[in-house]
Amino acid sequence: MTGVASSNLVLTLYLVSAVLFIVGLKGLTRIRTARRGNIISSLAMLIAIVATLIDLGTFSPTWIIAGVVIGGAIGAIVAVRVQMTAIPEMVALFNGCGGGASALVALSVIWFALFEKQQDAGVALLSKADAVTTMLSVFIGALTLTGSVVAFLKLRGWISGQPILIPGRHVLNGLLILGSLGITAYFVMNATDPSQMSLLTLVVCGLSLVLGIFLVIPIGGADMPVVISLLNSYSGLAACATGFVLSNNVLIISGALVGASGLILTQIMCKAMNRSLANVLFGGFGAEETTPGGGADARDYGPVRSYSAEEAAMVLESASSVIVVPGYGLAVAQAQHAVRELGDLLEKQDVDVKYAIHPVAGRMPGHMNVLLAESDVPYEQLHEMDQINPEFRNTDVVLVVGANDVVNPAASKDSASPIYGMPILEVHNASSVIVIKRSLSPGFAGIKNELFEYDNTMMLFDDAKKALQGLVAELKEAAG
């Protein structure tokens, strides 16, 4: 193949890959097309890799094959073994790996320039534009790596999910950012000095690694949906910067797509919680739900009605329409299959069953969608908040499984509440509400849920999976 033909083929493949990335990303915006979107995006990446290898011309395949085999094996094992409740942790690690890979590529570019071109004394080893984008890639990639690792550790429970507030953290973060920017500026202006370039690069990398820790560790585990989407955006921006370093158009495009979509998703998450991004990042908010048992929390409530599984099943028996509202408690109890079994049983009794999804229910964007998809809940039964809210007034029974703040009427009725203005699922408008929860303990906002005191609310205190299995058993027994 001639040089011109090869170049044209590479450009064509890059264009096809870029288009497929856009189409795949579009597919990820809907539950029904998400799986197809993933497949299309994977195909786009494969085409981009093939095009890059063609563009290289001659290369040693040994390390490439080794990387594909080792990385593919690790990815396959993790994908098969990971539980759906651990998907947020896996996504956090994916973000960290993306950021770390971008930082390593940028570092390799700098070190290549150092060891291959330093014989030309007085000649800039990198152009100013390349120096800026390379250091940006190192900076963003490194902080994404450590920030994602901290997010993973919080989600995994290996460090406290509560906000860890380091004294003077804002000042420290400011100094780390200013220091990195200052060193980057000096690096750009002195790109002809090989003796300093390596040291400066490592210093910026080190500062960024520390900054990633300091930025995420004050954030509570319940705010991880926002943090994960933001870190995803960071990984995309790092990849985009690396694309400029390598003059690779498809990497620039795909990185920009991930970066922009991550920022948009972050804004959606913040809007769903009626909070600003600054409040999430710097407010030290988002403490996780306390451990079960009620205790002191129960004293904040007036009379609540506690029902048994048998009594709750009788309410469901008489319903013609039921809306299920899943929350993180469902994920913790791994009750997605039990809720699907209950839904199927109700449908056999001619009950109209739907599922209402709040944008921040769970620990990552789309967590509930993924969880219910694993148990083969039909896509057409899943409804987003804006779609389903008008229907609650005409619904016989709403079954809330492990959700808390996202159904708290105080968000719309109590101007003094810290969650006032937060969009919620308006389940209180239904004829009857059954809440499955282990105790009266608060959610991440640390306040009581007024829904629990409503006259049309009945509490079923139990683990989500056990409660749902109890409801299924009662309904089967009643059906004969």
Side-chain angles (χ1 to χ4, degrees):
M1 183 180 295
T2 64
V4 174
S6 176
S7 178
N8 289 337
L9 175 60
V10 169
L11 291 176
T12 301
L13 289 175
Y14 278 159
L15 179 60
V16 172
S17 177
V19 171
L20 289 177
F21 273 127
I22 296 172
V23 173
L25 187 61
K26 175 64 176 176
L28 294 175
T29 61
R30 295 179 60 84
I31 300 169
R32 188 185 302 275
T33 58
R35 184 172 298 178
R36 185 171 68 238
N38 264 322
I39 294 173
I40 293 173
S41 298
S42 300
L43 177 61
M45 180 58 71
L46 176 61
I47 293 173
I49 293 172
V50 171
T52 301
L53 294 178
I54 294 173
D55 192 31
L56 288 174
T58 58
F59 58 88
S60 175
T62 305
W63 290 105
I64 294 176
I65 294 174
V68 169
V69 171
I70 295 173
I74 293 174
I77 292 172
V78 171
V80 169
R81 292 188 176 182
V82 67
Q83 297 290 330
M84 291 304 297
T85 50
I87 288 293
E89 295 99 299
M90 188 174 72
V91 172
L93 284 182
F94 281 169
N95 292 335
C97 289
S102 297
L104 288 175
V105 170
L107 288 171
S108 69
V109 169
I110 294 175
W111 289 331
F112 175 81
L114 283 173
F115 295 115
E116 296 295 328
K117 300 181 181 180
Q118 60 181 336
Q119 65 271 18
D120 299 324
V123 177
L125 303 183
L126 292 173
S127 68
K128 285 183 170 53
D130 286 344
V132 170
T133 54
T134 303
M135 291 298 275
L136 278 176
S137 184
V138 171
F139 177 74
I140 301 174
L143 74 86
T144 303
L145 172 62
T146 51
S148 298
V149 170
V150 172
F152 167 81
L153 294 175
K154 279 179 171 285
L155 290 169
R156 197 69 176 171
W158 291 349
I159 62 175
S160 174
Q162 302 295 322
I164 301 174
L165 306 181
I166 301 172
R169 64 190 184 280
H170 299 316
V171 175
L172 289 173
N173 290 342
L175 291 174
L176 289 170
I177 294 173
L178 290 175
S180 298
L181 293 176
I183 293 172
T184 297
Y186 184 82
F187 177 93
V188 172
M189 300 306 297
N190 295 271
T192 60
D193 187 352
S195 63
Q196 296 187 27
M197 286 182 66
S198 180
L199 177 61
L200 294 176
T201 304
L202 292 175
V203 170
V204 169
C205 185
L207 293 176
S208 303
L209 291 171
V210 176
L211 179 62
I213 297 173
F214 283 7
L215 285 176
V216 177
I217 206 164
I219 302 174
D223 275 336
M224 284 302 119
V226 176
V227 175
I228 288 175
S229 60
L230 185 61
L231 289 170
N232 182 55
S233 176
Y234 288 169
S235 68
L237 294 175
C240 184
T242 304
F244 281 104
V245 172
L246 300 176
S247 299
N248 188 296
N249 292 331
V250 75
L251 190 55
I252 295 172
I253 293 171
S254 59
L257 285 171
V258 173
S261 60
L263 286 175
I264 293 171
L265 185 57
T266 300
Q267 179 59 31
I268 292 173
M269 295 294 105
C270 289
K271 183 179 179 181
M273 296 189 297
N274 193 38
R275 295 167 60 202
S276 67
L277 180 59
N279 180 254
V280 173
L281 296 179
F282 307 120
F285 198 53
E288 292 185 305
E289 183 173 318
T290 56
T291 54
D297 300 315
R299 292 199 296 267
D300 295 332
Y301 285 90
V304 297
R305 297 191 301 166
S306 177
Y307 274 49
S308 66
E310 181 181 5
E311 292 169 316
M314 292 174 64
V315 175
L316 289 172
E317 276 183 312
S318 62
S320 60
S321 58
V322 173
I323 296 179
V324 180
V325 178
Y328 185 61
L330 180 139
V332 171
Q334 298 186 35
Q336 62 269 28
H337 297 288
V339 80
R340 168 64 197 275
E341 185 179 4
L342 177 64
D344 289 345
L345 193 57
L346 290 171
E347 286 183 312
K348 290 179 181 178
Q349 300 176 8
D350 296 324
V351 178
D352 180 31
V353 179
K354 297 178 181 177
Y355 297 81
I357 309 297
H358 193 281
V360 294
R363 281 188 157 182
M364 61 175 276
H367 193 185
M368 292 299 104
N369 305 73
V370 174
L371 202 68
L372 294 174
E374 187 209 15
S375 60
D376 295 324
V377 171
Y379 292 142
E380 58 270 14
Q381 291 185 0
L382 305 184
H383 299 271
E384 302 297 336
M385 179 173 59
D386 294 339
Q387 299 172 329
I388 201 72
N389 265 342
E391 298 189 30
F392 284 117
R393 294 183 182 276
N394 302 315
T395 300
D396 294 329
V397 180
V398 172
L399 181 63
V400 180
V401 187
N404 200 330
D405 294 317
V406 298
V407 295
N408 191 340
S412 58
K413 297 187 176 183
D414 183 3
S415 60
S417 173
I419 64 171
Y420 181 70
M422 170 182 167
I424 61 167
L425 291 165
E426 298 169 358
V427 303
H428 55 278
N429 291 327
S431 298
S432 298
V433 181
I434 301 174
V435 178
I436 297 177
K437 201 171 182 297
R438 291 179 297 174
S439 73
L440 289 174
S441 58
F444 79 86
I447 60 174
K448 77 173 186 178
N449 190 337
E450 294 181 2
L451 175 69
F452 302 164
E453 297 177 330
Y454 274 40
D455 292 337
N456 63 334
T457 298
M458 53 199 75
M459 304 297 298
L460 179 52
F461 292 111
D462 204 344
D463 170 82
K465 188 174 182 179
K466 291 181 180 178
L468 290 168
Q469 289 173 339
L471 289 174
V472 168
E474 293 293 339
L475 289 173
K476 285 182 177 179
E477 183 177 346

